[in-house]
């Protein structure tokens, strides 16, 4: 449901590595001067030495992607605005949104600086035109900073939680660095990195502040039910077998307070079982060639871009 990832970065145009922003300005890097000077570089927003490339190259992070959607849906303003601008019941539109989200994350993570900036600019332009209506009749803008911040934190917190619980060899300092690095991606959609969580402790403090205003609205519950019977196109029907277990595991990894908001028990036993499943999944995929684990739709979109002569973002540093 993420408004941050609502549109495809690929519209058939060739970006060109020297392309600047349409308004002539590069994104505000924010953060420390050292961080600002480090990006975007030759390898895009992050690069092979980043914690982001280490974490995002692992297949288990697909669980984090699903988890973030369930978590993000608990902000009723964000969920209603997204629901009203996307037909979740339309097979082609719902699948297209999922593929565009995966493609945006790929380009933002592994694309060149020009590709990432181009994708972010396109999302900002689309968000500026979209509105929804809240339960009280007030207008919701999809580019409201608080909503973009909510989406950003839901995604980053999910990656952190899955990386920590699956047994990935990352330290507390690594996870803090990952949270800090992710501010660079947030700048692509219009947020000021200087005002974003820069550590895991900052993320925890953010959730302590916003949790009292969260709940599972009717649209969130409907989206959750739909995730267990996804509208997968015929050519990818094999995914109908794969996605429900991923959705189930992703839901089980949510914080207890989040699961309770959806009306399910927040049992510690669920936490234990989910962590054990994550560790097993991580170990089972660690040595599998990454090419074999690409989501077919995302791979097809990548090939389509190559067919138009666009430069392909580099593969993860640990890709086989």
């Amino acid at each position: 449901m993420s408004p941050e990832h609502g549109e495809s970065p690929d519209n058939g145009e060739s970006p060109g590595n020297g392309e600047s922003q349409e308004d002539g300005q590069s994104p505000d890097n924010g953060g420390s001067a050292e961080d600002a000077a480090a990006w975007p570089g030759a390898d895009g927003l992050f690069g092979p030495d980043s914690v982001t490339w280490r974490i995002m190259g692992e297949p288990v992070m697909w669980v984090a992607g699903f988890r973030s959607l369930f978590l993000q849906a608990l902000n009723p303003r964000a969920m209603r605005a997204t629901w009203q601008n996307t037909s979740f019941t339309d097979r082609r539109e719902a699948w297209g949104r999922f593929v565009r989200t995966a493609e945006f994350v790929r380009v933002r993570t592994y694309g060149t600086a020009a590709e990432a900036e181009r994708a972010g600019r396109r999302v900002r332009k689309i968000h500026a035109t979209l509105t929804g209506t809240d339960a009280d009749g007030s207008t919701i803008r999809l580019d409201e900073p608080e909503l973009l911040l909510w989406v950003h934190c839901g995604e980053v917190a999910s990656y952190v939680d899955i990386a920590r619980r699956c047994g990935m060899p990352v330290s507390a300092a690594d996870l803090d660095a990952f949270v800090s690095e992710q501010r660079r991606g947030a700048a692509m959609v219009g947020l000021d990195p200087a005002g974003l969580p820069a550590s895991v402790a900052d993320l925890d403090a953010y959730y302590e502040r916003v949790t009292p205003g969260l709940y599972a609205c009717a649209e969130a519950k409907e989206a959750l039910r739909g995730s267990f019977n996804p509208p997968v196109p015929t050519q990818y029907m094999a995914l109908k077998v794969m996605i429900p277990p991923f959705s189930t595991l992703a839901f089980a990894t949510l914080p207890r307070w989040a699961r309770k908001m959806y009306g399910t028990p927040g049992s510690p036993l669920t936490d234990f079982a989910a962590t054990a499943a994550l560790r097993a999944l991580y170990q089972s995929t660690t040595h599998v060639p990454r090419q074999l684990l690409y989501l077919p739709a995302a791979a097809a979109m990548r090939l389509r871009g190559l067919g138009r002569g666009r430069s392909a973002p580099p593969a993860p540093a640990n890709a086989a």
Side-chain angles (χ1 to χ4, degrees):
M1 54 68 62
S2 164
E4 178 179 340
H5 304 146
E7 295 302 323
S8 170
D10 177 12
N11 67 354
E13 302 172 84
S14 177
N17 290 340
E19 181 179 346
S20 63
Q21 301 253 351
E22 285 183 357
D23 58 5
Q25 301 293 324
S26 61
D28 178 10
N29 293 343
S32 67
E34 179 181 357
D35 185 66
W39 72 277
D43 294 307
L45 299 186
F46 306 107
D49 294 328
S50 66
V51 182
T52 292
W53 273 34
R54 284 174 53 196
I55 289 178
M56 297 299 288
E58 296 295 341
V60 72
M61 285 298 112
W62 279 103
V63 176
F66 281 88
R67 180 193 191 272
S68 70
L69 297 179
F70 299 145
L71 184 58
Q72 290 162 351
L74 291 175
N75 182 312
R77 284 177 60 81
M79 187 64 216
R80 289 184 182 122
T82 304
W83 185 273
Q84 292 164 21
N85 283 282
T86 302
S87 177
F88 282 84
T89 58
D90 182 283
R91 178 176 297 271
R92 288 174 299 179
E93 187 170 348
W95 177 256
R97 186 180 188 85
F98 176 74
V99 172
R100 290 193 298 270
T101 297
E103 181 68 358
F104 181 90
V105 173
R106 183 186 67 82
V107 171
R108 182 189 64 193
T109 304
Y110 300 114
T112 65
E115 288 169 329
E117 290 177 3
R118 188 181 189 87
R121 182 173 65 249
R122 194 168 298 121
V123 169
R124 294 196 304 273
K125 290 177 67 175
I126 298 260
H127 284 173
T129 69
L130 298 180
T131 61
T133 303
D134 207 350
D136 61 2
S138 61
T139 298
I140 310 169
R141 291 182 55 89
L142 266 74
D143 61 357
E144 292 177 13
E146 281 299 315
L147 294 189
L148 294 176
L149 173 61
W150 166 253
V151 170
H152 168 76
C153 289
E155 183 183 5
V156 176
S158 294
Y159 291 136
V160 166
D161 185 66
I162 299 305
R164 181 166 46 198
R165 294 170 64 182
C166 77
M168 196 179 298
V170 288
S171 65
D174 289 334
L175 294 177
D176 282 339
F178 175 79
V179 174
S180 182
E181 288 172 3
Q182 289 304 296
R183 296 179 297 162
R184 307 171 191 175
M188 297 295 99
V189 296
L191 286 170
D192 178 4
L196 303 180
S199 67
V200 174
D202 288 348
L203 270 179
D204 292 341
Y206 170 79
Y207 277 101
E208 287 184 13
R209 176 171 67 84
V210 303
T211 299
L214 305 177
Y215 64 91
C217 61
E219 293 87 348
K221 293 178 180 179
E222 181 64 27
L224 175 65
R225 286 191 291 269
S227 71
F228 295 98
N229 183 27
V232 179
T234 303
Q235 61 268 40
Y236 301 119
M237 288 305 289
L239 290 177
K240 286 188 74 72
V241 177
M242 297 170 54
I243 291 178
F246 264 73
S247 294
T248 301
L249 178 56
F251 183 82
T253 66
L254 287 172
R256 294 177 198 172
W257 56 262
R259 301 199 304 270
K260 289 178 180 178
M261 287 183 182
Y262 278 110
T264 63
S267 169
L269 291 177
T270 300
D271 297 332
F272 178 82
T275 298
L278 285 172
R279 288 180 174 272
L281 178 62
Y282 173 66
Q283 290 298 325
S284 68
T285 58
T286 298
H287 302 295
V288 176
R290 296 302 184 262
Q291 297 95 318
L292 301 180
L293 292 161
Y294 268 111
L295 183 70
M301 202 169 213
R302 182 173 185 268
L303 291 173
R304 189 179 70 184
L306 286 171
R308 282 201 284 259
R310 298 175 69 245
S311 59
N318 62 349

